[in-house]
Amino acid sequence: MATTLGVAAIPAEATTTTTSQTTACPTGWGSLAKTRSAATSESVTNIRTGRHACFDRMVVDVPGAGTSGLGYSVRYVSRLHQDGSGTHIPVGGGAVLEVRVAAPAYDPETGKPTYPVRAGQRLAGVDLKGYRTFRDARFAGSFEGDTQIGLGVRARLPFRVWVATDRVVVDVAHNWTGAR
């Protein structure tokens, strides 16, 4: 009878609910630099962000690039310095991710900008109010075919980077544990 009482004391729903809440978010991304060697002459046209239950997301759109030509380098830095000039670009937050996409933010034939923001400015159309992880996002410039972005986050948190057709995606977790 003692065995029956022990089993009855823990309802099945409570165990299932607790398990799904603690394992719902992906884990294991880490905070070390992530790179993919590839490059394209197609141009960056948009940078956008989104909020998800487990992470905040930044997407860099490069129409016409497909997937094979999209390269990137994403890493935490102590300070963001613009390529070419070395100028420090202040980025708010507890930690700064330097996001480099191997695609120009200008038309390679004419030199005309394809992304409408100047170095040091906040990303066009990006409002980070209400985000759990993102704090600031600055355009650092485009130099020799690479586009550089500073992404300020709440703290040094795990992140992943992946490529979808015509875009590079950066997800930064809300925490280290994967709990919501």
Side-chain angles (χ1 to χ4, degrees), residues 2-176:
T3 303
T4 305
L5 289 174
V7 172
I10 303 172
E13 308 89 49
T15 303
T16 303
T17 302
T18 303
T19 302
S20 67
Q21 285 178 348
T22 58
T23 60
C25 295
T27 59
W29 296 349
S31 64
L32 296 178
K34 292 155 181 63
T35 61
R36 181 175 194 240
S37 296
T40 183
S41 60
E42 298 298 331
S43 301
V44 171
T45 59
N46 192 32
I47 303 170
R48 53 198 165 93
T49 59
R51 294 179 290 176
H52 295 264
C54 300
F55 53 86
D56 290 346
R57 172 172 286 170
M58 183 175 72
V59 178
V60 180
D61 292 316
V62 188
T67 56
S68 63
L70 282 174
Y72 58 79
S73 172
V74 181
R75 66 188 179 120
Y76 280 103
V77 295
S78 57
R79 292 170 52 113
L80 182 66
H81 294 276
Q82 183 184 38
D83 278 350
S85 71
T87 301
H88 172 247
I89 296 178
V91 180
V96 177
L97 272 173
E98 177 187 52
V99 178
R100 292 174 181 266
V101 176
Y106 53 85
D107 181 324
E109 292 181 20
T110 66
K112 181 180 177 184
T114 56
Y115 183 70
V117 176
R118 298 179 65 168
Q121 293 181 331
R122 287 192 169 88
L123 299 181
V126 171
D127 181 0
L128 299 178
K129 289 180 188 140
Y131 280 68
R132 287 184 57 190
T133 299
F134 291 173
R135 296 296 184 258
D136 194 10
R138 301 284 174 157
F139 186 70
S142 194
F143 182 72
E144 294 184 348
D146 280 354
T147 297
Q148 185 184 21
I149 303 150
L151 181 59
V153 296
R154 179 173 42 82
R156 187 177 174 124
L157 293 163
F159 68 95
R160 69 178 173 184
V161 186
W162 51 283
V163 171
T165 302
D166 299 340
R167 65 188 53 94
V168 174
V169 180
V170 179
D171 294 331
V172 182
H174 291 160
N175 58 53
W176 278 94

